[in-house]
Amino acid sequence: MRAVCRFLAVSDSVGQMSDVVVRPARDADVDAVGELLGRAFADDPYTRLLFGAAPDAAARASDLFGYEMRTQYLPFGAVDVAEMYSNEFAEKGQP
């Protein structure tokens, strides 16, 4: 059984503490996660093999990752996302 949420405290590059909430992904997260993964893996050798040096390789990879997430991973609860909240706002109850 998987925990619904996990809370972590991390320090950013200037030493400010933030709370990180890790939670199961929802349908509303698919586009953002796909875009993030597309940009992160745009220069990956396998991504280059699939899409070549096309100027829109990152966008194509984003579409692929979003499709895979929506059809292969999300229905089985296999995707988590992390959200970071600054302590300054967390004390006020805002993300």
Side-chain angles (χ1 to χ4, degrees), residues 39 51 57-58 88 91:
R39 288 185 302 162
F51 304 115
E88 173 186 347
E91 292 171 2

Side-chain angles (χ1 to χ4, degrees), residues 4-63:
V4 173
C5 291
R6 295 180 293 278
F7 296 93
L8 308 167
V10 296
S11 177
D12 65 14
S13 61
V14 293
Q16 185 134 3
M17 294 300 288
S18 297
D19 292 326
V20 176
V21 176
V22 179
R23 61 167 175 77
R26 301 184 285 257
D27 287 333
D29 299 315
V30 171
D31 291 337
V33 172
E35 183 179 342
L36 175 71
L37 291 173
R39 288 185 302 162
F41 289 97
D43 293 326
D44 182 73
Y46 186 69
T47 303
R48 288 288 180 200
L49 176 70
L50 289 175
F51 304 115
D56 64 343
R60 289 180 180 190
S62 295
D63 290 344

